[in-house]
Amino acid sequence: MTGLEHYNYWIVIALMMSGLYALIARGNLIRKLIGLNIFQASVFLLYISVGFVRDGAAPILAPGVDSYSNPLPHVLILTAIVVGVATTALGLALAVRIHGAYGTIDDDQLDRQRD
Amino acid sequence: MILEHAQVLVVALPLLAVPVCALLPSRRWPGQFATLVAWAVLGFAVLLMAGVAEQGVLRYQLGGWAPPWGIEYRLDAMAALVQLLLALIAAVVFPYAARSLADEVDDGRVGGIFAALLLLLTGLLGIVATGDAFNVFVFLEISSLSGYALIAMGRRRRALVASFRYLIMGTVGATFFLIGLGLLYALTGTLNMDDLATRMPPLSASPTAQTALVFIVAGIGLKAAVFPLHQWLPDAYAEAPPAVAAFMAATATKVALYVLARFLFGVFGLEQLLEVPALQSALQGLAVAGMLAGSLLAMRAMDIGRILALSSVAQVGYILLGFALFSTAGLAAGLVHLFNHALMKAALFLALGAIVHRVGSGDLSRLEGVAHAMPWTMAAFMMGALSLIGVPLTAGFVGKWYLILAVVEQGQWWLVMAMLVASILSVVYLWRIVEVLYRRPAVLPARHEAPALLLLPTLLLAVANLVMGMHATPLVEWSMRASASLLGAGS
Amino acid sequence: MTAGDWLPLLLIVPMLGAAGILAAGRVPNLREGVTVVTSLLLFWVVVQLAMSGAEPRWVLTEPLPGLQLALSPEPLGLLFALIASGLWIVTSVYAFGYMRAKHEAKQTRFYAFFALSIGAAMGVAMAANLFTLFVFYEALTLSTYPLVAHHGDDKARAGARTYLRILLGTSIGLLLPAIIWTHQLAGTGEFTPGGILAGHAGPTVAGVLLVLYVLGVGKAAVMPVHRWLPAAMVAPTPVSALLHAVAVVKAGVFVILKLVVYVFGMEFLAGVPLERALLWLAGFTVVAASTVALRQDNLKRLLAYSTIGQLSYVVMAALTLGTTAGLAAALHIAAHAVAKITLFFTAGSIYVASGKTQVSQLDGIGRRMPVTMTAFTVAALSMIGLPPTVGFISKWMILQGALEADQLFVVLVLVVSTALNAGYFMPIIHRAFFRPERAVAREHGEAPPPMVAALVVTAFLTLLGALAADILVSTLAPVMTAGSSG
């Protein structure tokens, strides 16, 4: 068993880190949201990897197949994707309102403006 | 028939009311409708509380699917207590909001804002009602999303920024929680919390389990505003409309703390927790740091909403400290304080809302002598403040008393000293407010008390603080029972 | 009516009084009538309770299982209640004269909070357990705060803030942990003759507890927690009288005496090593405060430091341990109360009549205000401990107690401080009667009649106390014996 065998988990970690980095380091609110999305996507991949069964077929009952992938993580992650979409939509809507109220969507400039 | 399904109806009712509320015309109807729904929820919560008192644990299988495949709703003593708290706060705050929010927001948004408030209530009730770990995540996000939207409704444009930052932080926290759940599922193959608890013990030494624990504690800690993950809270609560701040300060962090207790003791279990190196001292350290940092920051803030929000950070520290003692007495003390803190913080934020409603600001520099114009509101504020300090015969004293007893039981004197220092600091920052509000300005303001619909709920909660301080025995006994059953089940 | 029915009245009468004062706020004569009637009524209730001799128990509420808010009279508590309620009558009469003469604002609020703080003092006196004691102790602090801050200017507010900070800080930071610790050790906080800690705590733990209690009861003003007392001098003179003689500092030393007798038990305390250290601290406070008083020119500040010294006499006597010393401590509470209230009354009268506040301005004032200054002399004699005053008897008993307990340190402190007391009171009397008046700023005579009447009464009490001391001692003796033998 080498480290490469679990390459999907390495991808998950790489995505997670780049997402978190964008989230923290970027001042632009839209970029922050993009970072958030990358971060969430990494978790979706994590779940899907967990559900994967080597040589398993899609979880649809069919004759001659006795090994299926686990469908539950997929279902869960569908829910999580919906939640993610809602979050992004709300975040974008807020960004639009912030732009309207402040004339900028840069985090540092927002702090500089007093009320 | 209805009683049988009360466990689900208590969540489904506010959920079904959401679209109705969003479509209601007129400024007044949405608020009144939401109030009615909240009162109905309170009725169900009381019924369920009685059921739990009689039968111990109530279980309900959604759609008739048996666990661990189907989703199970599970109500034990701890969940019933938090559910009742949610329903109570909603029943008192919603009529208040019906008056104050309708005045604060544009015509077109009134329906939407009450729909969001009901959705928030749904999410919080759902978290408490469910016995399924993934369901907790979904309801957590439902409550969070509606929370972000509500905070953005604040008077100042700063509310938008506060809401956006909370959204980013909150989503990261929820995602951490999700990672933790994923790891748990990979390890055990189940998401039912009872099922998890039975399968965890042999696996608890595995790094995966411990990593899952860290992710879950960090994710929920963020939602609960545990120090140092509290940064979102002061801005969010200070900028939100006061009625929303009152509701969220009293319930949202409390439910997150409930989830923390549920996972720590109900899923991982006491013995496994003790195997994780330094977990206990880390939690205690964070609790104390939160108590002190929140109080110190509150001493320097100028906005009353901000002061109250920062004091929440400190109070979360107290509750967390109770949990982190890892003892029956400690958990019970934490639960008592959780319940009582909701009462006092709601009373304080409602009083603040009444002041803001009249004066148009919550800034200390503009509130000199307000007490002379609004004596009743200030009386309620004083009551809440005394309770927050922990003066005997108020609700706040009870939790602290049991917390100190639980700490002394373990002989950890430094924790006692930290609690007392934080209490003294709370006297300082609250006294600053009281002094300014009672100061006699050159021109005495005319009597200008808040409208009755704002005043009555505020006074009701203020009196509740007194009543819960004088007759704490039922709450204490119930918390002891909840704590004993949870720790008994976990180990 | 049985004795048990009187107990609730101790709280109800002052509260109703405060409500009545607020209701009658627009009519000054009526308002002051209500005050006097309330104070008389309260005193009568206390007397009835004392006469009945029964020790009933009244439970207000039981907020937590096993934690009661309960009142129950016992001889020490009755003594304190008698002092506080009795002196309230005189102080009220004095206050009418003072407040009217000075045209003070917000008099209604003043009288209402005055009544409330007396109610809190009654609660402290009758507390049946540590929890109840703590509740009323804090209530007393909070209800006196508006009185200290009465003038409402920056100076008053700063003084009041110090007052609040020190009293709340010590009580929450030291007294409360001590109470909780005691609960944890003994499983109860009930005041029991002979103490509750014996057998539950080792000498070291008991020593730490005693330190927490003595410093935690900030109202007793043992150094280094004495600073609130001079800071509170910003208050009107009747409030100073309330703080120094009627309720607040008296509550402090009374609580310490009560803790020594009913929580620790004298016998048990004798085996606690740290107890000696506290005795020395109290002795040090006596001498240090008297030395500071020697250098004060402001009359009220001088009296404040004198109070700090006198309080530590009580603490010191209580910690000397033994029946005589314990009785001396109780008697000295009473002795200091009547004498110090007289001194504050005279200081206020001088201020109202002549506007003078400094000792150095008092040359020849005895000729303009002979009654006032005679009363001052009587009270000063009592403070120094000279016959024929009650102070002489209490000091004599402290001395006796110290000799019985072989505490030569206490004897030494008594000798030195008596010299110091004489050192700061005698020059004032000398100035007032024997020095010629300097430049005449304004013609004046005595202060308004109610004030003079009040201070004459208290001066008489200072003399009468010498005769009544016997009765007091014989009433209290059984408590102290139970304390030292139980």
Side-chain angles (χ1 to χ4, degrees):
Chain A
M1 194 138 120
T2 65
L4 273 181
E5 224 168 308
H6 290 286
Y7 68 92
N8 46 345
Y9 291 102
W10 289 112
I11 293 175
V12 165
I13 290 172
L15 280 177
M16 197 180 278
M17 290 306 127
S18 40
L20 271 179
Y21 174 79
L23 193 80
I24 296 163
R26 294 295 164 183
N28 186 306
L29 299 187
I30 304 293
R31 282 171 199 262
K32 275 184 189 294
L33 281 176
I34 294 173
L36 192 68
N37 269 294
I38 296 174
F39 176 57
Q40 287 182 308
S42 75
V43 182
F44 302 159
L45 282 180
L46 173 75
Y47 266 75
I48 292 167
S49 303
V50 168
F52 177 73
V53 175
R54 194 168 293 269
D55 303 327
I60 301 165
L61 281 177
V65 182
D66 50 2
S67 172
Y68 299 102
S69 278
N70 186 348
L72 187 63
H74 297 178
V75 177
L76 297 182
I77 232 54
L78 271 179
T79 318
I81 288 171
V82 172
V83 171
V85 169
T87 311
T88 311
L90 184 60
L92 288 172
L94 281 173
V96 170
R97 291 270 321 269
I98 289 173
H99 189 264
Y102 284 84
T104 176
I105 49 167
D106 189 88
D107 215 28
D108 298 330
Q109 291 187 12
L110 288 179
D111 269 339
R112 255 175 254 137
Q113 293 194 26
R114 289 280 113 215
D115 294 278
Chain B
M1 172 63 193
I2 286 185
L3 285 185
E4 223 176 284
H5 297 287
Q7 221 176 325
V8 173
L9 282 173
V10 77
V11 184
L13 185 70
L15 182 64
L16 292 175
V18 169
V20 180
C21 193
L23 294 175
L24 281 178
S26 138
R27 289 186 78 80
R28 298 282 167 216
W29 287 5
Q32 288 161 357
F33 177 69
T35 303
L36 282 180
V37 173
W39 288 351
V41 166
L42 179 61
F44 283 128
V46 171
L47 280 177
L48 287 169
M49 189 90 176
V52 170
E54 212 172 280
Q55 301 173 27
V57 179
L58 297 180
R59 292 170 189 280
Y60 184 93
Q61 294 163 7
L62 276 195
W65 292 84
W69 297 282
I71 289 173
E72 181 195 42
Y73 274 19
R74 181 179 177 284
L75 203 68
D76 61 3
M78 178 168 79
L81 182 70
V82 180
Q83 190 174 65
L84 183 71
L85 174 69
L86 288 171
L88 268 176
I89 299 287
V92 180
V93 174
F94 280 21
Y96 179 101
R99 178 76 169 78
S100 76
L101 287 180
D103 285 354
E104 279 166 29
V105 301
D106 310 335
D107 266 342
R109 291 204 202 148
V110 176
I113 201 167
F114 279 99
L117 213 47
L118 281 171
L119 200 58
L120 175 60
L121 179 65
T122 308
L124 297 172
L125 285 168
I127 294 172
V128 177
T130 188
D132 182 274
F134 194 81
N135 227 223
V136 171
F137 166 76
V138 175
F139 279 122
L140 195 66
E141 281 302 74
I142 291 180
S143 65
S144 300
L145 282 169
S146 37
Y148 308 142
L150 284 168
I151 287 167
M153 300 287 176
R155 284 170 298 129
R156 290 179 287 200
R157 59 177 183 170
R158 196 109 219 119
L160 297 170
V161 181
S163 169
F164 187 86
R165 288 183 181 157
Y166 180 25
L167 178 135
I168 296 283
M169 295 278 278
T171 308
V172 171
T175 312
F176 272 7
F177 181 62
L178 191 62
I179 296 171
L181 289 187
L183 295 175
L184 276 188
Y185 179 72
L187 198 63
T188 60
T190 180
L191 283 167
N192 181 292
M193 290 199 268
D194 270 358
D195 218 23
L196 274 171
T198 52
R199 293 188 197 202
M200 279 306 289
L203 302 167
S204 62
S206 81
T208 314
Q210 301 198 349
T211 315
L213 176 66
V214 171
F215 270 112
I216 288 176
V217 169
I220 294 301
L222 205 152
K223 290 279 180 194
V226 169
F227 182 88
L229 305 173
H230 66 278
Q231 271 109 350
W232 58 269
L233 184 138
D235 270 336
Y237 288 1
E239 297 302 335
V244 172
F247 185 64
M248 289 188 65
T251 56
T253 47
K254 304 298 165 304
V255 168
L257 283 164
Y258 159 84
V259 175
L260 190 64
R262 171 67 68 205
F263 272 86
L264 283 180
F265 305 113
V267 171
F268 286 95
L270 206 51
E271 283 162 31
Q272 286 82 284
L273 292 181
L274 291 172
E275 280 176 27
V276 183
L279 177 69
Q280 187 176 24
S281 31
L283 285 178
Q284 288 180 356
L286 291 180
V288 169
M291 273 155 49
L292 297 177
S295 307
L296 286 171
L297 289 169
M299 284 168 67
R300 293 172 45 191
M302 278 310 285
D303 182 275
I304 298 184
R306 213 179 163 74
I307 295 175
L308 295 180
L310 284 164
S311 108
S312 276
V313 174
Q315 299 293 321
V316 165
Y318 282 104
I319 300 167
L320 181 68
L321 180 62
F323 294 172
L325 291 175
F326 289 177
S327 68
T328 317
L331 177 58
L335 288 177
V336 169
H337 201 57
L338 185 151
F339 191 92
N340 287 337
H341 177 244
L343 293 183
M344 51 184 126
K345 229 1 117 38
L348 284 168
F349 266 113
L350 290 188
L352 170 66
I355 293 171
V356 172
H357 189 83
R358 282 292 186 229
V359 185
S361 167
D363 196 88
L364 269 183
S365 58
R366 292 184 52 193
L367 293 177
E368 190 162 294
V370 165
H372 301 286
M374 310 176 73
W376 286 105
T377 308
M378 269 314 285
F381 190 91
M382 276 296 277
M383 193 64 235
L386 290 176
S387 190
L388 191 61
I389 294 170
V391 174
L393 301 185
T394 61
F397 173 77
V398 183
K400 284 191 182 174
W401 174 267
Y402 279 102
L403 202 51
I404 291 187
L405 279 186
V407 170
V408 171
E409 191 183 87
Q410 300 192 346
Q412 307 213 46
W413 282 97
W414 71 280
L415 291 176
V416 178
M417 287 331 288
M419 283 181 64
L420 294 166
V421 169
S423 290
I424 293 173
L425 293 180
S426 71
V427 176
V428 177
Y429 64 73
L430 288 169
W431 199 263
R432 263 179 70 213
I433 303 179
V434 171
E435 220 182 47
V436 171
L437 265 51
Y438 274 102
R439 189 176 296 163
R440 183 161 292 271
V443 185
L444 207 61
R447 183 70 81 89
H448 197 49
E449 192 51 88
L453 256 175
L454 298 193
L455 196 55
L456 280 178
T458 313
L459 285 175
L460 194 67
L461 277 172
V463 171
N465 272 294
L466 201 59
V467 172
M468 291 309 288
M470 306 254 251
H471 300 282
T473 312
L475 173 65
V476 169
E477 279 172 357
W478 188 275
S479 302
M480 290 283 182
R481 182 180 151 181
S483 163
S485 84
L486 192 63
L487 287 178
S491 56
Chain C
M1 259 175 111
T2 65
D5 300 331
W6 294 109
L7 268 179
L9 289 178
L10 286 180
L11 299 181
I12 293 170
V13 168
M15 277 176 154
L16 283 182
I21 290 165
L22 286 178
R26 287 178 199 288
V27 193
N29 285 331
L30 183 60
R31 174 186 70 202
E32 280 144 33
V34 172
T35 306
V36 170
V37 169
T38 313
S39 61
L40 285 172
L41 213 67
L42 183 68
F43 184 65
W44 183 66
V45 170
V46 177
V47 169
Q48 289 297 321
L49 203 58
M51 301 286 271
S52 78
E55 298 197 0
R57 189 184 169 86
W58 177 49
V59 181
L60 279 90
T61 169
E62 188 168 343
L64 309 179
L67 202 61
Q68 288 180 336
L69 195 67
L71 298 186
S72 174
E74 44 77 44
L76 270 180
L78 282 169
L79 170 69
F80 176 52
L82 275 174
I83 297 174
S85 61
L87 292 183
W88 183 28
I89 306 173
V90 201
T91 313
S92 310
V93 174
Y94 180 83
F96 304 151
Y98 183 92
M99 300 301 273
R100 285 195 178 183
K102 298 302 296 177
H103 303 291
E104 294 275 356
K106 286 301 230 175
Q107 295 193 21
T108 305
R109 186 184 73 182
F110 175 86
Y111 290 116
F113 274 105
F114 214 110
L116 284 182
S117 49
I118 296 291
M122 292 298 119
V124 172
M126 297 300 164
N129 54 38
L130 284 169
F131 173 68
T132 315
L133 184 79
F134 183 74
V135 170
F136 285 107
Y137 182 92
E138 296 295 33
L140 183 56
T141 307
L142 292 176
S143 56
T144 43
Y145 168 82
L147 298 175
V148 176
H150 184 80
H151 289 307
D153 51 14
D154 283 339
K155 204 173 143 216
R157 229 179 281 129
R161 213 178 290 147
T162 310
Y163 175 79
L164 203 65
R165 196 184 302 146
I166 294 182
L167 288 186
L168 281 185
T170 51
S171 64
I172 298 177
L174 302 170
L175 179 59
L176 186 61
I179 289 176
I180 294 173
W181 200 356
T182 307
H183 262 268
Q184 219 261 329
L185 288 171
T188 173
E190 290 298 311
F191 292 131
T192 317
I196 51 175
L197 276 173
H200 295 291
T204 320
V205 170
V208 176
L209 265 179
L210 188 64
V211 173
L212 286 178
Y213 275 126
V214 170
L215 294 182
V217 181
K219 292 195 170 95
V222 172
M223 285 180 182
V225 290
H226 65 283
R227 288 216 9 249
W228 61 270
L229 199 46
M233 284 291 89
V234 293
T237 303
V239 176
S240 303
L242 172 81
L243 295 180
H244 286 256
V246 181
V248 179
V249 297
K250 288 288 137 15
V253 286
F254 163 76
V255 166
I256 288 187
L257 189 58
K258 200 156 171 165
L259 290 172
V260 166
V261 175
Y262 293 111
V263 173
F264 287 94
M266 288 194 176
E267 191 135 298
F268 174 62
L269 260 191
V272 174
L274 265 173
E275 198 264 346
R276 296 293 97 167
L278 282 170
L279 181 68
W280 292 332
L281 182 65
F284 168 78
T285 307
V286 171
V287 176
S290 304
T291 314
V292 176
L294 207 51
R295 294 174 38 198
Q296 299 298 321
D297 191 36
N298 181 302
L299 185 56
K300 277 175 78 180
R301 282 186 78 83
L302 182 147
L303 294 179
Y305 279 102
S306 147
T307 300
I308 297 173
Q310 295 285 330
L311 290 177
S312 281
Y313 272 135
V314 180
V315 177
M316 191 170 71
L319 293 178
T320 301
L321 306 181
T323 312
T324 317
L327 286 172
L331 185 59
H332 199 69
I333 292 180
H336 176 249
V338 287
K340 190 46 69 64
I341 201 171
T342 312
L343 290 174
F344 270 106
F345 282 176
T346 54
S349 298
I350 293 170
Y351 176 52
V352 166
S354 70
K356 290 173 181 169
T357 55
Q358 308 296 48
V359 173
S360 52
Q361 300 169 328
L362 296 184
D363 289 359
I365 201 162
R367 262 156 281 169
R368 287 190 180 274
M369 307 175 70
V371 181
T372 305
M373 288 319 287
T374 308
F376 185 92
T377 309
V378 170
L381 288 181
S382 181
M383 300 303 283
I384 301 168
L386 293 176
T389 60
V390 65
F392 165 69
I393 299 184
S394 62
K395 245 186 188 175
W396 181 259
M397 283 184 67
I398 297 178
L399 199 61
Q400 232 180 336
L403 289 172
E404 270 175 29
D406 267 341
Q407 285 292 343
L408 290 180
F409 169 74
V410 175
V411 178
L412 187 72
V413 168
L414 278 177
V415 172
V416 173
S417 84
T418 303
L420 288 171
N421 290 349
Y424 57 80
F425 276 124
M426 283 310 184
I428 302 176
I429 299 171
H430 174 75
R431 264 174 202 280
F433 285 109
F434 301 110
R435 283 217 199 160
E437 201 169 3
R438 283 193 219 157
V440 183
R442 80 173 191 231
E443 292 297 326
H444 66 87
E446 293 280 357
M451 300 173 72
V452 178
L455 62 89
V456 166
V457 168
T458 54
F460 262 106
L461 285 175
T462 313
L463 295 173
L464 270 180
L467 304 174
D470 237 13
I471 308 169
L472 198 66
V473 168
S474 57
T475 324
L476 288 177
V479 186
M480 296 297 167
T481 340
S484 59
S485 69

